[in-house]
Amino acid sequence: MVLWFRKNLQNIMLAAIAMLLATSVNVNAEVVAPVVPKGKGEQCVEPTDVMRKNHMEMLKHQRDETMHNGIRTKKHALKECIACHVQEDEKGQVARFGDDGHFCSSCHNYAGVNVDCFQCHADRPQELIGKGHKIKPHHTADFKDKAINKEALQALTEVSK
Amino acid sequence: MKLIRFASIDGNSNGYWGLMALLAAFILAALGSSYYMEHHGHHVTGMTNQIVWGLPHVFAVFLIVAASGALNIASIASVFNKKAYKPLARLSAVLALALLAGGLMILVLDLGRPDRLIIAATIYNFKSIFAWNMILYSGFMGIVGVYIWTMMDETVGRFNRLAGISAFIWRIMLTTGTGSIFGFLVARQGYDAAIMAPMFIIMSFAFGLAIFNLVLFAAYNGTRRELGDAIVKRLRNLLGVFVAAIMYFVVVFHLTNLYATEHHGVEAFILRDGGIFTQLFWIGQVVIGGLIPLALLYAPQLQGCRKSMALASVLIVLGGLAQMYVIIIGGQAYPLQLFPGMEVSSSFFDGVVNSYTPTLAELMLGLGGVAVSLIVVTLALKALHLLPISLADAVADPHHKD
Amino acid sequence: MKTVNTTDTSKRKFLGGAAAVAGIAIAPGVLLQTVNAKPDNEAVSNKVRWGMLIDTNKCGDGCTDCVTACNTENGLTGFERPETDSQWIRKLTLKDKQTGHVQTLPVMCQHCETAPCVDVCPTGASFKREDGIVLVDKHICIGCRYCMMACPYKARSFVHEDLQDQKDHAPRGKGTVESCTMCVHKVDNGENPACVTACNKEHKAMYFGDLNDANSEISKRLKQYGGKQIRADLGLNPGVRYQGV
């Protein structure tokens, strides 16, 4: 029953987010996709379009499985996403969550969708902890002027047939 | 007894708008305090890992307890068929909702993660008395809402008694739930007592009625409507009985504890050695909240004096807050007994009396909850036909003889 | 039964089978721990009940190795504010009022079978895993602190301020409650909790293992020498037991 609630809760949240986004759609704007940093490996654990659309489902499923059942498979684990997608740049700097250069926030800043992961979870691989600037509490993302347009949203979430 | 006519208040006077502005200022201060606490984390408050519930909880639990008590006037009318109380039932029910709203606001804004309220509202652990309480609180809102409807709309008036009985049963459950938050805490010396539930119910009777009296007096004075002695006398006697009943429960609670050697430590702490808690218990709870109000309410010389009754009501509210402080914070200040009979010490404050100093932010959050309750009533008085145009004896007293 | 050296934990999972068996050989012929590492994709089950045994006679007076190890492992850095900083494990000093006898022992979450924190939690964020480890699901913790009111052992801490640089295996954040996880990330990996590993270097006062397995070191010791529960009167059947108190 708890699981049912969680699934349902997510749908409610998604519907709410979609409604919020719908109100801020600017149809005349040019389609500019966010610049997403490239991952370390050749290929993600799932096809890119599936990840774009469903990464939150997978993360959430994995989160509950790990938390409550001790399942520690790596495929859909947040830790592994971070390990692959958050890297040092040429200057030896690492982007923090909230920076446009951080894999997660590159898109989330753009879409104006806040996430509640990195108040607790490490936003960079363990070996890079200590590198990168400090995150200012509560100022993790600035969503001003980041309203997404309809085409960009479609492009980001459409799953190829 | 004649036909009772109700009317909303004009709510145009400077006094009315001044009151609204004052209450709004308190509410803004509470919201600001909450933002400050959530932004920086609770380390800016007086709370610690030892005292986890602080002053906001004192206010919140007080208001929630008083909320169910405020409904009593309506219950006496509908459930026990006392006609004299019928004209006051509407105000009683609205005040109950308002007090509950204020208390809940404090509780929510003091959470570590108030942004996750939707989780609390959608995922329940049914073994948790807290989860039951969430159902009891929302149920109370719904049932009392319907109850008010049956009072104000004649077409559903035939359901009034049914709604009144439901609301009465629900409010008893609700306060049982609130008291059991503490009563079910098996590990803490100051709690773990079944008497907590009935004691909270009797506390609710007195606190709720004291607040009701103050609101009633303020509303009738402010609108210059007539309030007869007959109804005031009934309320006065009722209040005195409730205060005496609280004192009885407090005596039984402490006597039971004093008999068991196991509880001598915590009793000595509250009754003798506890510093601020001992003072709040004897001076705040017993003298200010109990003995002085009893004297004011029952002294033969003061029988017709409304000011003495109003003062008694104020003192009961203050004494009630003191009692909540002693129960909630005193109960946490006394150290957990991991190893009874041993002297215990550690880096984590084991074995020592924990200190708590409330901060301004916590006080403002608590007062903001009170302001929410009062602003709801103030608005409702203007928006709804809550108050009888006259409660003069000739109108309101069923036994009045012309 | 196959015995593998401590340093070889990463290989253990490749030993195959549903439950590769591993142990820690402290000295030739002395097997202190026997721990089952489950495969990553297998859910924990109630066939296992993890527990700890603490021999207070061996616990070093003034030694805080277990506390330091816990803080390091879980990234509990603190803000120099002892009243609000988290402590998952602490050293208690006990003095018998009558006899003056003094002893020290570590206290942490006792991982009760019927945990009061789990009972009172309104959202189910406090929960007990099938294998007996009591945890806080911080994803659904609303920070009401009722569990802290209910815990008889003062085992829980509330995160009072923003944290930086948490360990990736021990996510923690402001506004939620936390406590000893029995190093669940290590246990799932077939390792001992950090405090036990640290204690075994010198004093060897802490044992970790499966209370349901009659052949585990901890069960054998408990059967032979007995083990007390703190606040046994509450009937909570904690997973942490003490000898010598």
Side-chain angles (χ1 to χ4, degrees):
Chain A
M1 188 152 92
V2 171
L3 278 177
W4 181 85
F5 268 124
R6 284 197 193 142
K7 274 184 190 153
N8 206 28
L9 181 67
Q10 192 177 38
N11 289 337
I12 295 164
M13 300 285 247
L14 281 174
I17 291 166
M19 279 170 70
L20 277 175
L21 286 175
T23 58
S24 60
V25 165
N26 181 353
V27 186
N28 297 324
E30 275 181 58
V31 179
V32 185
V35 183
V36 181
K38 210 174 156 1
K40 196 156 68 171
E42 283 299 304
Q43 177 60 46
C44 195
V45 292
E46 304 285 349
T48 306
D49 48 2
V50 174
M51 287 309 291
R52 276 182 184 163
K53 197 173 181 204
N54 294 327
H55 64 280
M56 59 297 232
E57 302 275 359
M58 294 173 206
L59 284 169
K60 211 164 186 182
H61 180 74
Q62 182 76 16
R63 154 198 128 173
D64 290 339
E65 287 290 323
T66 306
M67 187 80 234
H68 292 265
N69 297 325
I71 286 177
R72 292 184 185 271
T73 48
K74 291 184 168 174
K75 194 174 174 190
H76 292 156
L78 176 65
K79 198 163 141 182
E80 302 301 318
C81 304
I82 295 292
C84 190
H85 285 288
V86 182
Q87 294 299 320
E88 282 178 289
D89 63 17
E90 311 83 55
K91 292 173 195 152
Q93 285 298 305
V94 58
R96 304 296 312 271
F97 177 70
D99 302 342
D100 282 340
H102 186 273
F103 178 75
C104 303
S105 31
S106 62
C107 233
H108 276 271
N109 283 0
Y110 180 84
V113 177
N114 208 351
V115 291
D116 191 15
C117 302
F118 300 106
Q119 267 200 38
C120 293
H121 285 278
D123 61 350
R124 55 213 194 286
Q126 199 75 57
E127 63 272 14
L128 297 181
I129 280 184
K131 292 195 174 180
H133 61 85
K134 289 266 175 198
I135 296 185
K136 276 194 214 140
H138 279 280
H139 304 289
T140 45
D142 183 5
F143 300 134
K144 265 182 265 165
D145 307 321
K146 293 275 168 59
I148 195 170
N149 62 51
K150 201 161 115 196
E151 290 78 11
L153 186 64
Q154 270 173 357
L156 287 170
T157 55
E158 215 160 61
V159 176
S160 53
K161 313 250 151 47
Chain B
M1 190 167 166
K2 293 175 183 161
L3 188 69
I4 301 286
R5 288 172 55 236
F6 292 87
S8 56
I9 65 171
D10 292 339
N12 292 324
S13 66
N14 288 339
Y16 185 87
W17 290 113
L19 178 65
M20 292 293 278
L22 182 70
L23 295 174
F26 269 100
I27 293 168
L28 280 178
L31 293 176
S33 300
S34 172
Y35 177 76
Y36 168 73
M37 282 155 50
E38 302 302 339
H39 185 88
H40 292 280
H42 277 68
H43 84 95
V44 298
T45 70
M47 80 159 275
T48 61
N49 283 326
Q50 287 60 246
I51 308 277
V52 301
W53 287 353
L55 195 58
H57 283 77
V58 171
F59 277 97
V61 178
F62 177 83
L63 288 175
I64 291 168
V65 166
S68 63
L71 191 67
N72 268 349
I73 301 300
S75 299
I76 295 170
S78 319
V79 182
F80 302 104
N81 260 329
K82 300 281 183 198
K83 284 193 183 125
Y85 294 94
K86 199 102 188 168
L88 298 176
R90 295 178 181 186
L91 178 65
S92 152
V94 168
L95 181 61
L97 288 187
L99 290 170
L100 185 62
L104 290 182
M105 184 202 79
I106 303 174
L107 272 194
V108 167
L109 292 181
D110 189 58
L111 289 176
R113 296 296 306 255
D115 52 320
R116 290 184 177 163
L117 189 61
I118 190 163
I119 292 174
T122 50
I123 309 179
Y124 289 107
N125 164 26
F126 286 103
K127 204 180 172 185
S128 167
I129 183 77
F130 241 36
W132 301 353
N133 277 339
M134 281 177 224
I135 296 166
L136 289 170
Y137 297 150
S138 36
F140 186 80
M141 293 276 186
I143 290 177
V144 176
V146 171
Y147 186 25
I148 294 172
W149 179 27
T150 65
M151 292 178 203
M152 300 189 67
D153 181 353
E154 275 180 23
T155 58
V156 290
R158 63 185 182 282
F159 298 112
N160 177 258
R161 191 168 156 77
L162 180 65
I165 290 171
S166 311
F168 179 70
I169 293 172
W170 199 270
R171 66 128 309 197
I172 297 287
M173 292 198 303
L174 186 139
T175 320
T176 303
T178 314
S180 300
I181 288 175
F182 302 96
F184 286 6
L185 288 174
V186 292
R188 296 215 179 233
Q189 299 293 307
Y191 308 132
D192 183 29
I195 200 175
M196 282 288 182
M199 187 164 80
F200 268 58
I201 290 176
I202 207 72
M203 279 154 63
S204 81
F205 286 0
F207 303 164
L209 183 56
I211 297 175
F212 178 85
N213 288 340
L214 293 172
V215 170
L216 183 73
F217 286 167
Y220 272 78
N221 279 342
T223 53
R224 296 194 180 78
R225 298 185 188 189
E226 197 174 348
L227 183 62
D229 280 332
I231 187 72
V232 172
K233 192 174 170 215
R234 283 170 187 265
L235 295 174
R236 182 179 202 121
N237 283 334
L238 207 51
L239 189 61
V241 171
F242 291 159
V243 171
I246 294 187
M247 300 192 78
Y248 167 76
F249 270 84
V250 170
V251 167
V252 172
F253 175 75
H254 286 290
L255 271 184
T256 312
N257 273 353
L258 282 168
Y259 201 82
T261 312
E262 181 195 356
H263 293 125
H264 284 180
V266 68
E267 284 302 315
F269 175 69
I270 298 291
L271 301 181
R272 194 186 63 206
D273 309 326
I276 180 72
F277 301 108
T278 303
Q279 290 167 19
L280 279 173
F281 177 79
W282 290 111
I283 301 172
Q285 181 182 334
V286 175
V287 176
I288 294 178
L291 297 178
I292 298 179
L294 279 180
L296 287 171
L297 292 171
Y298 285 126
Q301 304 90 320
L302 296 172
Q303 280 315 298
C305 170
R306 288 196 191 170
K307 280 188 182 142
S308 69
M309 184 174 158
L311 179 62
S313 298
V314 170
L315 294 181
I316 290 164
V317 169
L318 294 177
L321 285 167
Q323 184 172 11
M324 283 298 173
Y325 199 95
V326 172
I327 291 176
I328 295 178
I329 297 175
Q332 298 173 78
Y334 187 73
L336 276 167
Q337 304 288 297
L338 267 66
F339 294 93
M342 302 268 205
E343 274 174 29
V344 185
S345 60
S346 79
S347 62
F348 203 48
F349 305 93
D350 285 279
V352 296
V353 170
N354 302 303
S355 64
Y356 171 76
T357 315
T359 56
L360 183 65
E362 291 164 284
L363 179 65
M364 291 321 289
L365 178 55
L367 291 176
V370 177
V372 164
S373 303
L374 294 180
I375 213 166
V376 169
V377 176
T378 315
L379 282 169
L381 282 171
K382 186 173 176 174
L384 302 170
H385 299 275
L386 288 188
L387 282 185
I389 292 169
S390 168
L391 280 174
D393 289 350
V395 184
D397 182 11
H399 308 292
H400 182 76
K401 293 181 186 75
D402 283 314
Chain C
M1 187 187 281
K2 189 161 184 170
T3 303
V4 193
N5 198 288
T6 338
T7 53
D8 209 6
T9 48
S10 60
K11 271 190 187 167
R12 210 183 310 146
K13 270 190 239 111
F14 299 102
L15 291 173
V21 177
I24 295 167
I26 292 295
V30 181
L31 185 69
L32 267 185
Q33 307 295 337
T34 306
V35 174
N36 295 318
K38 66 168 188 61
D40 280 344
N41 62 355
E42 189 180 290
V44 291
S45 87
N46 59 11
K47 292 195 185 83
V48 179
R49 177 161 189 222
W50 296 120
M52 262 191 223
L53 171 61
I54 294 160
D55 186 343
T56 58
N57 292 318
K58 291 193 204 159
C59 179
D61 187 12
C63 170
T64 52
D65 288 355
C66 53
V67 179
T68 312
C70 175
N71 291 347
T72 310
E73 176 66 27
N74 296 298
L76 310 180
T77 40
F79 298 86
E80 307 291 321
R81 287 191 264 269
E83 289 189 319
T84 49
D85 285 345
S86 290
Q87 292 195 35
W88 290 9
I89 181 171
R90 64 202 192 264
K91 279 291 293 284
L92 241 60
T93 305
L94 305 183
K95 186 176 171 193
D96 192 312
K97 284 179 196 166
Q98 184 69 35
T99 63
H101 177 67
V102 173
Q103 57 191 141
T104 69
L105 62 148
V107 173
M108 74 298 276
C109 170
Q110 303 285 299
H111 298 279
C112 309
E113 185 185 12
T114 47
C117 59
V118 174
D119 288 347
V120 301
C121 177
T123 66
S126 272
F127 71 101
K128 185 176 62 111
R129 287 204 327 179
E130 287 293 306
D131 58 4
I133 298 180
V134 174
L135 296 172
V136 181
D137 184 345
K138 287 159 199 162
H139 305 105
I140 54 171
C141 172
I142 57 172
C144 73
R145 286 107 70 192
Y146 197 18
C147 56
M148 300 177 75
M149 291 289 278
C151 175
Y153 305 105
K154 207 172 179 300
R156 293 205 153 175
S157 296
F158 178 75
V159 181
H160 281 72
E161 42 205 308
D162 273 300
L163 302 177
Q164 300 267 350
D165 293 346
Q166 294 94 323
K167 299 282 182 188
D168 61 2
H169 52 257
R172 330 165 35 227
K174 183 179 75 177
T176 58
V177 176
E178 58 183 15
S179 58
C180 158
T181 64
M182 229 184 224
C183 283
V184 65
H185 58 287
K186 291 170 89 75
V187 171
D188 282 347
N189 207 24
E191 300 169 53
N192 277 331
C195 55
V196 176
T197 305
C199 188
N200 278 340
K201 285 195 183 123
E202 193 180 340
H203 291 100
K204 302 180 177 56
M206 298 174 88
Y207 302 85
F208 171 79
D210 180 5
L211 297 173
N212 282 352
D213 176 4
N215 293 318
S216 67
E217 175 76 9
I218 187 171
S219 297
K220 283 191 210 156
R221 281 188 169 267
L222 279 168
K223 189 167 185 194
Q224 194 174 354
Y225 305 112
K228 283 197 177 142
Q229 317 169 22
I230 307 182
R231 292 295 312 262
D233 60 316
L234 297 173
L236 304 174
N237 190 14
V240 180
R241 302 297 173 102
Y242 292 82
Q243 282 169 355
V245 278

